[in-house]
Amino acid sequence: MTHRFPPGFLWGSATAAYQVEGAAREGGRTPSIWDTFAHTPGKVLAGDTGDIAVDHFHRSSEDVALMAELGLSAYRFSVSWSRVQPTGRGPALQRGLDFYRRLVDDLLDNGISPMLTLYHWDLPQELEADIHGGSAAGGGWPHRDTAYRFADYAAIVAEALGDRVELWTTLNEPWCSAFLGYASGVHAPGRTDPVAALRAAHHLNLAHGLAARTLRETLPARADIMISLNPAVVRARSSAPADVDAQRQIDALATRIFTGPLLHGAYPDDLLADTAPLTDWSFVHDGDLAIAHHPLDALGINYYTPSLVSGSTDNAPPRHDGHGAGSRSPWAGAEHVAFHQPPGERTEMGWSIDPSGLYDLLLRFHREAPGLPLHITENGAAFDDKPDAEGAVHDPERIAYLRGHLLAAHRALAAGVDLRGYFLWSLLDNFEWSYGYSKRFGAVYVDFPTQTRTPKSSARWYAGVARANALPDS
């Protein structure tokens, strides 16, 4: 049977500025925390950096033409903060905004709806190093002022592009920004302070609310404002009380630390109790939670794989949490929890392939926030893709992955979930953060030395789905 999707369903792909743009020193752009991190020896595999990435800055017209060829109806991209506001404060750099103006105009000319993400992890380095009113350890997201600087930046981008962009995302995966950046240190800026990570999480919630309020004041009424989270699908290894409690703790740190303020205006009591040995949460000021609770028009959900956890009395529990091989845990206050490799097939990242997790997430938020539309803003897989003798790239594993997850999405729609769009991660093979160029998530193969783009078989398959607005029988 053919599985049809609702009329107007958005079929898109997604990228992030530092992963694709390159042109790191052009047009007045200054370093972000990822420029600094990638240029620090030992932080990124093989010493790779995003200096050139896949040269999207110079090849955006080519890439938009490729999207049009593939029949995409939407493109989710992020803006490089340090390209449009180099120090993270002060006036806009018009040369930087001009790139995004051209990109948006090109998308619209090709019938592709732009979905703009204001922040995908590339904080201006000057804000990370800023200690005005902060601690000697530096500024960045643990420093409250960064949230206000983000709102100012949001206003700049909204004033420049608000007449043409109708889908706005404040933050992408704030969990990664807070806990991989400031607790485990496997992402930029590479700090390893669990209290700083908790402070960062709160200030990201505050930043979202401040920016959402600013966007609401600046954008036309037709604009939709959202945030993209990577809520965890956490499963207990057994029904033993210690394992069930481990599941609860990780769910609080991975998901409810954000959905609590954003959807309900409060942090969960169990999260505060779990982290009480680390902090009294006095960095939460009166009125902060009301700001973070600013009404959303939609919620973005990023999903790749579930987690399997247990309680542990071991001083060095297994660390198969899928977030890199740092020596420090990202799980502030829950370092004792053990992560296990779920059974079954895996991607090149070592991540379990389990579409049921996507279905579970969609139903969870349908129940928790009834009436709030949802978008799958990231879903995809890395495989060891290689061209054959004729230069074609066949990736049947990715097609199977996408089909399974789209079937899960369709099942959620049938269960009443208000799902509006699906954004494949990623359009292009690109710089995969601390893994450098070693992991390929793209539907389009990129030969990095020549920057030649070659759609993989999965890109052609996905194009067929997008054009038909339906999954084929097989």
Side-chain angles (χ1 to χ4, degrees):
M1 91 185 253
T2 299
H3 299 80
R4 300 200 175 279
F5 284 74
F9 192 84
L10 291 178
W11 293 100
S13 62
T15 64
Y18 189 72
Q19 292 181 273
V20 299
E21 283 183 6
R25 299 176 183 85
E26 291 187 37
R29 182 187 180 277
T30 58
S32 72
I33 55 175
W34 265 98
D35 294 273
T36 303
F37 187 79
H39 280 271
T40 303
K43 296 297 186 182
V44 174
L45 189 67
D48 291 339
T49 74
D51 287 1
I52 298 173
V54 295
D55 200 30
H56 180 66
F57 183 83
H58 297 113
R59 298 169 185 261
S60 63
S61 292
E62 173 188 350
D63 292 337
V64 171
L66 191 53
M67 294 177 221
E69 178 187 337
L70 296 175
L72 300 187
S73 54
Y75 175 53
R76 178 175 178 250
F77 65 95
S78 77
V79 173
S80 166
W81 188 345
S82 57
R83 193 179 295 286
V84 304
Q85 196 188 31
T87 66
R89 49 169 53 86
L93 187 64
Q94 293 303 319
R95 287 178 294 168
L97 285 170
D98 284 344
F99 167 69
Y100 299 104
R101 291 185 178 106
R102 290 192 300 271
L103 173 61
V104 166
D105 288 347
D106 211 1
L107 290 167
L108 294 173
D109 287 345
N110 282 274
I112 300 169
S113 297
M115 177 184 279
L116 186 153
T117 300
L118 287 167
Y119 186 76
H120 198 131
W121 308 351
D122 48 356
L123 186 74
Q125 177 60 37
E126 189 160 326
L127 289 182
E128 172 62 26
D130 188 359
I131 60 171
H132 297 301
S135 69
W141 289 112
H143 185 5
R144 183 178 179 86
D145 186 62
T146 303
Y148 291 88
R149 302 287 69 74
F150 180 68
D152 292 344
Y153 156 66
I156 287 172
V157 181
E159 287 164 4
L161 298 171
D163 60 333
R164 284 160 286 176
V165 177
E166 296 185 6
L167 298 170
W168 291 77
T169 304
T170 54
L171 306 170
N172 180 77
E173 297 187 357
W175 184 86
C176 294
S177 296
F179 292 98
L180 300 184
Y182 293 95
S184 69
V186 298
H187 278 193
R191 288 159 63 179
T192 53
D193 178 350
V195 176
L198 292 168
R199 292 175 62 93
H202 174 65
H203 294 144
L204 285 155
N205 284 329
L206 177 62
H208 159 76
L210 291 168
R213 187 172 65 185
T214 297
L215 293 175
R216 193 80 65 192
E217 294 167 351
T218 308
L219 296 173
R222 66 180 183 275
D224 281 351
I225 298 167
M226 55 192 290
I227 185 172
S228 286
L229 303 178
N230 57 324
V233 176
V234 191
R235 294 165 177 162
R237 189 173 60 164
S238 78
S239 59
D243 292 357
V244 173
D245 195 58
Q247 184 275 336
R248 176 199 61 76
Q249 286 184 277
I250 299 304
D251 184 69
L253 276 169
T255 302
R256 290 183 287 121
I257 192 170
F258 298 106
T259 59
L262 299 177
L263 299 181
H264 310 295
Y267 285 108
D269 289 340
D270 62 326
L271 170 71
L272 302 181
D274 290 343
T275 55
L278 294 174
T279 177
D280 61 4
W281 289 75
S282 58
F283 46 80
V284 180
H285 294 190
D286 289 346
D288 284 3
L289 294 173
I291 293 171
H293 189 41
H294 190 92
L296 292 167
D297 298 308
L299 178 66
I301 293 175
N302 297 353
Y303 172 79
Y304 293 92
T305 188
S307 296
L308 184 65
V309 302
S310 67
S312 176
T313 57
D314 194 328
N315 290 329
R319 285 285 309 284
H320 298 291
D321 63 2
H323 297 299
S327 61
R328 302 287 292 273
S329 170
W331 303 106
E335 293 87 352
H336 63 286
V337 171
F339 285 76
H340 306 273
Q341 179 67 57
E345 293 181 285
R346 307 177 197 173
T347 70
E348 187 71 10
M349 296 288 287
W351 296 348
S352 169
I353 300 174
D354 188 347
S356 70
L358 178 60
Y359 176 81
D360 291 346
L361 273 184
L362 294 172
L363 266 290
R364 171 179 178 167
F365 287 104
H366 173 62
R367 294 173 183 136
E368 185 172 346
L372 183 64
L374 305 177
H375 290 269
I376 299 167
T377 39
E378 286 185 24
N379 176 243
F383 292 104
D384 188 19
D385 305 316
K386 293 183 174 68
D388 63 16
E390 286 74 42
V393 183
H394 299 288
D395 55 342
E397 303 93 345
R398 183 171 288 103
I399 293 174
Y401 179 99
L402 296 177
R403 179 175 174 77
H405 286 79
L406 287 172
L407 283 171
H410 190 272
R411 189 158 65 99
L413 279 162
V417 174
D418 185 4
L419 181 63
R420 303 288 181 88
Y422 176 92
F423 291 78
L424 167 65
W425 186 270
S426 175
L427 175 67
L428 303 159
D429 291 334
N430 55 41
F431 177 84
E432 186 49 41
W433 308 114
S434 58
Y435 292 95
Y437 296 98
S438 68
K439 307 296 183 186
R440 293 181 178 270
F441 276 87
V444 175
Y445 183 89
V446 178
D447 178 69
F448 297 120
T450 66
Q451 297 293 345
T452 301
R453 275 88 158 126
T454 303
K456 304 172 188 178
S457 55
S458 62
R460 303 299 183 193
W461 179 88
Y462 186 61
V465 172
R467 289 196 178 94
N469 198 35
L471 273 173
D473 292 339
S474 60

